[in-house]
Structure formats: structure tokens, C-alpha cells
Amino acid sequence: MRLESRVEQDEFTEHASKCFDLPFDGTTYFDAWEKPSVPDEFTIGLIHGPSGSGKSTLLGEFGVEEKPEWSTTRAVVSHFATPEDAVERLTAVGFNSIPSWMRPYHCLSTGEQFRADLARKLNHNVVIDEFTSVVNRDVAKSASVAVSRYIKEKGFKNVVFATCHEDIKEWLNPEWSFDTSDGSYSIGRWLQRPSIRLKIYRGGLRKWETFAHHHYLNKTVNKASHCYLLYWGETLVGFNATLYLPGRIPPLYDGDDRPTYRASRTVVLPDFQGLGIGVRFSDALGQLYLDQGLRFFSKTAHFRFGEYRQKADWWRATSTNLKDRSKSRGKKSGKWDHWHVDQKRICYSHEYIGKRGNKYRELYEEALIKKTKKNKESSFLYEKTFDL
């Protein structure tokens, strides 16, 4: 499909054409790609290729990109349909830095602006040009995974991206892709997302400084914490701190007197948010403590963290999970031992019990079965626990 454009000739065009021996009469031509035969309905389509190869022109065959407008006097989080919609969309694209939500758009980093724009754009029948072009490749990969997951969870149809970076193809996992460098069209069903190999090391408090201002609550960490560092290759990406939990904790089963620990801080650097690293980091530490004959609890107000644990059968909801604690009174004004009772927020609260086959989980399940048999009214609890 040949496109033509004309410009007025002047001393500048004449000088440039003479310098480079280019015949020029004021007319330029561009051979654009015709729209490929894609399905009438799909989830994600991807157009990729080098600059100047016709990506944006081809993208225009699928629709016109809308550019979100941002107020300079309102927080980023205030630009959505409802507060609930804001939380869902921002976390869905891997923008999990809550303090950054409270800033105006122009005060965000380039990577944060990229994710904020995505959060507002994603819907049915949208086109997004220059996808990941202005961010580093770590952000590009993590954002691609988060966006792909959200589009498929929400059931959005006919979302088309254009990018000059082919390295995000396997992370975005499109249903089809078109390469404007050679005109090749491919189906994405054979794509496999690359695996991520992460390593956990026992670390020190000094590394907390790297993560402190990214935590959604505050910048402090208890000096008695056990600290763990998470690396992707040679790159530090995550931090976790755990604390010993004294006091009487209801046993998981008869005779359960294991020492108890709780997660205190879990932070993944913004460039790597959206890949699911944080929840799996927490899972791995839970298993580490379980393997040492210890119990591991975690409480969070973070929607993505909490909902993941609600669905994962290796986490057990505690009696305070999603309970209103505003009227709770502990031994020291809302404090039970040194586990603070959060009286302002409704939090997710879970204990890591391990995946099937773990001896501690088997003891718990046996105890639950016995309890169910004794009390017919709790039979639904039995079904809910085991039919996952």
C-alpha cells in the first residue's frame, strides 16, 4: 500500500537534496503494510519492528490511540472512575508504589508514568503505540506480564500494541504478531514466557535503605528482624524482613507448639513489580520456615498480595482475616505483645501451611477432618478447604 505526501520546496530541501545527490521534486513515497487477516475477536495483538518500518501507520488500521489527560493539581490515583477502580487498575499494571499514587503525574518517574498511562488506557478495542519504548528493559518485561495478565483476567478484546522492541514478545504473550521489518505474520500460541530464576540470600539491615521509600507503610524496620535479599541474576530486586512472634498462638493441631514468626516487610523494587515476584518470595520464605519446624504468618492490606493468598491453598486464613479490628483493644492500646492490631484498615491475615504432602499440613488437615465430623455445621468449611 503506497502512501504519498507533498511538501513545498525551498532552499533547505534544495540544499539537502544536492548534498546527498537525491532527486527531489517535493513528493515523497512510503510503502505501508496492509492490515493482516487477523481474527475478528482476539485478546492481544502485537505489531513490532524497527523505527520507520510502518508500525504506527499499520496500528492506525486498528484504531486511534487515546492520550490520557492528567491534572497537575490532582493525585494520580484521583483520575479513575472510582477509588476501587483506581486500586485495581494501578496494581494490575504493576504500579504498586502507593506513595507514588498520591503524587501528580508530572512528579512520577518515566517508568511510573508509563504504567499510570497504561492503567487508564486498557479496555476493549484500544491501540497503544510505542509500547515500552521509553522505559528500561526490566520495566518493559514486568509491565508486559502484568498487562497481559490483566487483559486476560478482565476479558478485554482486540487490544493491539506497537513497539520497536521485540524482546517483550514472549512476556506479553500476544495472540498474534506482525513484524514490519519483513511483513511476517505469526500466531502466538507457541510462545512460552521465559522462566525467572531467583535466589534468596540471608542479608543485613543495611540493604533496607535501598527499599525503605518503596514500602507502602513506613520506612522503619525492626533491628531484631531476620532479613532476606532476593536476586535476579546479579541484580537485587527484593527485600523481606521477618520477626519472632511471642505469646500464645492457637495451635494448628493438637500438640502444635512450634515457635512462630511473622513477615514484617516485603518489598520488590518498582522496576520488577508485576511479575508476581513478591508473592512467590513470600511463599519461598514460608516454606523455608516450615521446613525448619516453624510457623509463618503474614498480614497485609495490599490487595494483590491478599487476593493471591485467598486463592492459594498453601495459605490458611486466620480468624482475623478481613475482620474489622477498629474496636479491638490489646494489652497495650491496640497492641498484642509486639504484633500491632491494625485498627484503621481491614487486613488480610494468613498462615503458610505448605503445599500438599507437607507433614504439618497433613496434621492440620487430619485435625480439621476430626473437627468437621464432630460438628456437622462446619461441613461447608471442610468442602471449602479441600475443594480448591
Side-chain angles (χ1 to χ4, degrees):
M1 183 172 61
R2 172 154 288 198
L3 303 178
E4 178 184 307
S5 65
R6 292 191 59 81
V7 297
E8 295 181 0
Q9 295 196 75
D10 53 29
E11 60 180 306
F12 297 96
T13 59
E14 182 180 354
H15 178 75
S17 62
K18 285 182 178 180
C19 285
F20 296 96
D21 195 24
L22 174 70
F24 182 66
D25 62 0
T27 304
T28 58
Y29 302 94
F30 178 76
D31 291 324
W33 297 104
E34 293 186 357
K35 184 178 180 179
S37 298
V38 302
D40 292 335
E41 187 175 279
F42 56 87
T43 51
I44 300 173
L46 177 66
I47 301 170
H48 61 89
S51 297
S53 62
K55 297 185 302 298
S56 297
T57 303
L58 180 56
L59 184 66
E61 294 293 314
F62 292 91
V64 178
E65 181 177 17
E66 295 185 6
K67 302 289 186 180
E69 293 185 0
W70 299 92
S71 168
T72 59
T73 59
R74 299 177 67 200
V76 167
V77 74
S78 303
H79 287 77
F80 295 83
T82 65
E84 293 75 18
D85 181 56
V87 172
E88 178 181 315
R89 283 180 169 270
L90 290 169
T91 57
V93 297
F95 190 2
N96 295 316
S97 179
I98 285 74
S100 293
W101 295 4
M102 310 307 168
R103 299 169 184 155
Y105 179 81
H106 64 275
C107 291
L108 302 181
S109 68
T110 300
E112 289 173 335
Q113 288 181 346
F114 166 70
R115 292 186 192 261
D117 285 334
L118 279 177
R120 291 188 62 190
K121 288 179 181 180
L122 291 178
N123 213 319
H124 295 284
N125 304 304
V126 297
V127 297
I128 299 175
D129 201 0
E130 299 297 338
F131 181 61
T132 74
S133 296
V134 297
V135 295
N136 67 51
R137 306 326 299 156
D138 291 325
V139 174
K141 293 173 183 177
S142 59
S144 295
V145 172
V147 165
S148 178
R149 182 188 301 120
Y150 182 62
I151 289 173
K152 292 169 183 177
E153 284 178 355
K154 299 298 288 186
F156 291 152
K157 300 298 182 183
N158 300 2
V159 182
V160 185
F161 298 90
T163 180
C164 58
H165 296 286
E166 191 178 355
D167 61 349
I168 56 97
K169 186 176 180 180
E170 294 174 319
W171 301 89
L172 185 63
N173 197 18
E175 194 169 322
W176 59 264
S177 62
F178 186 89
D179 188 345
T180 54
S181 65
D182 58 13
S184 60
Y185 173 81
S186 59
I187 303 298
R189 67 171 64 101
W190 295 286
L191 289 175
Q192 289 188 350
R193 186 169 294 152
S195 60
I196 301 175
R197 295 186 63 84
L198 303 168
K199 294 183 179 180
I200 299 174
Y201 295 90
R202 184 74 180 267
L205 281 173
R206 287 178 297 176
K207 291 293 184 181
W208 171 244
E209 296 177 2
T210 305
F211 297 86
H213 64 286
H214 297 298
H215 193 266
Y216 71 98
L217 285 181
N218 56 59
K219 299 181 181 180
T220 63
V221 63
N222 194 302
K223 293 182 179 180
S225 300
H226 294 177
C227 299
Y228 300 89
L229 306 176
L230 187 69
Y231 282 83
W232 185 353
E234 300 299 317
T235 305
L236 177 62
V237 301
F239 177 94
N240 191 295
T242 64
L243 283 169
Y244 175 65
L245 185 61
R248 176 64 178 169
I249 306 297
L252 194 63
Y253 52 84
D254 290 341
D256 186 11
D257 58 355
R258 290 173 293 159
T260 302
Y261 285 79
R262 68 175 178 92
S264 174
R265 296 284 183 267
T266 302
V267 185
V268 174
L269 293 177
D271 284 0
F272 303 92
Q273 294 175 5
L275 290 167
I277 288 176
V279 292
R280 286 163 180 79
F281 187 16
S282 185
D283 286 352
L285 289 178
Q287 189 62 49
L288 175 67
Y289 277 77
L290 205 65
D291 290 342
Q292 297 179 75
L294 306 170
R295 297 178 71 181
F296 185 75
F297 289 82
S298 184
K299 181 179 68 174
T300 181
H302 199 287
F303 172 77
R304 287 279 163 180
F305 249 89
E307 286 303 309
Y308 169 82
R309 291 171 179 167
Q310 291 286 86
K311 298 173 183 177
D313 75 342
W314 44 93
W315 287 92
R316 177 190 73 93
T318 70
S319 60
T320 61
N321 182 51
L322 296 177
K323 294 293 181 63
D324 182 359
R325 309 297 300 281
S326 59
K327 297 181 180 179
S328 297
R329 291 292 181 269
K331 297 177 181 178
K332 300 176 182 178
S333 301
K335 182 177 179 182
W336 293 91
D337 296 309
H338 73 287
W339 183 317
H340 288 271
V341 174
D342 198 317
Q343 296 171 293
K344 296 181 180 180
R345 302 170 303 155
I346 296 178
C347 295
Y348 297 88
S349 178
H350 293 83
E351 177 179 4
Y352 185 84
I353 59 173
K355 297 187 177 180
R356 297 186 186 280
N358 183 284
K359 68 176 183 178
Y360 297 109
R361 174 169 177 153
E362 289 178 352
L363 288 169
Y364 163 67
E365 291 177 344
E366 289 175 4
L368 190 60
I369 290 172
K370 291 178 181 178
K371 180 181 179 181
T372 302
K373 289 180 178 178
K374 290 181 179 180
N375 186 358
K376 293 181 180 180
E377 293 181 358
S378 63
S379 60
F380 179 71
L381 177 63
Y382 173 83
E383 292 174 9
K384 184 179 179 182
T385 303
F386 289 92
D387 186 17
L388 296 173

